[in-house]
Amino acid sequence: MANILTLRFFKKKAILLKAETTVGTDPVPTGLANWIEARNVQFTPMEAETADRNIELPTMGNAGKVQVATWAKLSFDVLLAGSGAAGTAPKIGPALLACAFAETVSAGVSVAYNLVSSAFGAATLYINIDGTLHKLIGSRGNVSVGIAAKGIPVLKFAFDAAYVAPAASAMPAIDRTGWPAEEAVNATNTTKFTLNAVDFAFSAFDLNVGNQMARVNLPGPQAEIAITDRQPSGGLTILAPALGTFDPFALAQAGTVVTGTVTHGSAAGKKVQIDIKTRVTGADYDQVDNMLAYKLTLEPIPAAGDDEIAITYL
């Protein structure tokens, strides 16, 4: 007996991402130029908003719904690491632009990503799942940072876009250059965390940019994924020094805005520095391998505006 179909496989995926010159216009990413090394991929190809028809019938049963808007969602992690050459933008740069950052390149030195509150970028993402191509055009989203000891540091992205009907398409040929090998978070590759001018050994740092998203579909027409606000948050687990050296409880009560910084990467071209301006809004006891630790709750706060979070590739 002949099989009724040729099997296709969920594991086989290719994700491409390219910045849009004109928001909402597909810049046609290619596998050779725009493939991204995505991990922990989660994809919702169709998420519909509906309105009930509310028709009264002489019998029981559904009156049905009308689709009023349809969206797609794609989330994934990428390695937090430099491009391999100082002053050369990382391949994930276009994703940061679509998450309310602006890019500043200092040739041969650094590439800085700083927050903006207007003129937001957007990106087109393609996800091909074993021969079926889904396009997410006009994508905008949110990003968070995860750095945990003895683990792999990552940027975690989550994007929304308007739904586009999928199409059959061959898997693209890809170029994997520009994606460096992992460097684990440890004493060799990761610096101390400096907070309020005090240096700490730490076991975990997480930072969420907290972009607030709106799925706009209004008569006009006005149809887009809009970033309408941000509410950053974070957490930091540090080994606890003597109270006279660092008093997190007093710092939380005072509500003082302090600076924090950490750098991951063993050499120029591999390094990424995270800088924050933040309040410590909570402090709790924790332990790291039975050593006393503080678990701090962070609330990034702008000083001059758009300066509460910066990501710099060195």
Side-chain angles (χ1 to χ4, degrees), residues 8-311:
R8 300 166 63 222
F9 299 98
F10 184 72
K11 178 71 174 179
K12 295 172 65 177
K13 301 183 189 73
I15 298 177
L16 318 180
L17 185 150
K18 187 175 182 180
E20 295 177 357
T21 302
T22 301
V23 175
T25 299
D26 183 0
V28 192
T30 68
L32 296 180
N34 308 112
W35 178 79
I36 60 171
E37 192 179 74
R39 309 160 186 233
N40 302 319
V41 175
Q42 299 290 325
F43 180 45
T44 303
M46 176 186 284
E47 187 171 89
E49 296 179 34
T50 61
D52 286 318
R53 300 181 71 204
N54 290 322
I55 298 171
E56 301 294 345
L57 300 170
T59 62
M60 293 183 178
N62 288 326
K65 302 180 190 303
V66 175
Q67 284 195 4
V68 296
T70 317
W71 312 95
K73 300 193 300 185
L74 179 62
S75 65
F76 52 86
D77 301 347
V78 297
L79 178 67
L80 181 67
S83 64
T88 297
K91 284 201 163 183
I92 202 59
L96 289 168
L97 299 181
C99 293
F101 284 87
E103 179 184 83
T104 302
V105 177
S106 299
V109 179
S110 65
V111 183
Y113 293 90
N114 298 97
L115 293 168
V116 294
S117 290
S118 61
F120 302 117
T124 288
L125 293 116
Y126 287 3
I127 176 168
N128 191 314
I129 304 178
D130 201 1
T132 298
L133 174 62
H134 297 263
K135 297 182 179 183
L136 288 80
I137 301 170
S139 297
R140 289 187 171 122
N142 184 52
V143 61
S144 58
V145 178
I147 301 176
K150 302 178 184 178
I152 296 171
V154 293
L155 293 171
K156 303 177 182 182
F157 290 94
F159 287 103
D160 276 11
Y163 171 78
V164 175
S169 178
M171 293 289 283
I174 64 169
D175 183 352
R176 299 186 62 178
T177 58
W179 294 96
E182 294 86 344
E183 292 192 328
V185 179
N186 56 31
T188 301
N189 300 321
T190 315
T191 68
K192 59 188 177 289
F193 197 106
T194 301
L195 182 68
N196 196 28
V198 181
D199 296 338
F200 297 99
F202 75 101
S203 66
F205 171 55
D206 62 87
L207 178 65
N208 188 339
V209 172
N211 286 333
Q212 308 296 294
M213 312 297 297
R215 294 170 164 181
V216 181
N217 190 322
L218 298 172
Q222 191 71 36
E224 64 178 309
I225 301 297
I227 297 173
T228 59
D229 195 6
R230 64 173 173 266
Q231 297 179 358
S233 60
L236 175 65
T237 301
I238 56 174
L239 294 186
L243 196 62
T245 301
F246 180 73
D247 185 344
F249 310 105
L251 196 61
Q253 279 197 314
T256 307
V257 177
V258 299
T259 60
T261 186
V262 65
T263 301
H264 176 77
S266 63
K270 298 180 179 181
K271 294 182 178 182
V272 186
Q273 178 176 307
I274 310 293
D275 291 286
I276 58 172
K277 292 178 173 64
T278 186
R279 287 193 177 112
V280 176
T281 58
D284 199 358
Y285 284 114
D286 204 345
Q287 60 85 25
V288 177
D289 294 332
N290 288 324
M291 295 175 287
L292 185 64
Y294 292 129
K295 188 173 185 178
L296 308 180
T297 303
L298 307 177
E299 182 188 33
I301 298 284
D306 293 332
D307 58 353
E308 64 266 43
I309 297 171
I311 303 172

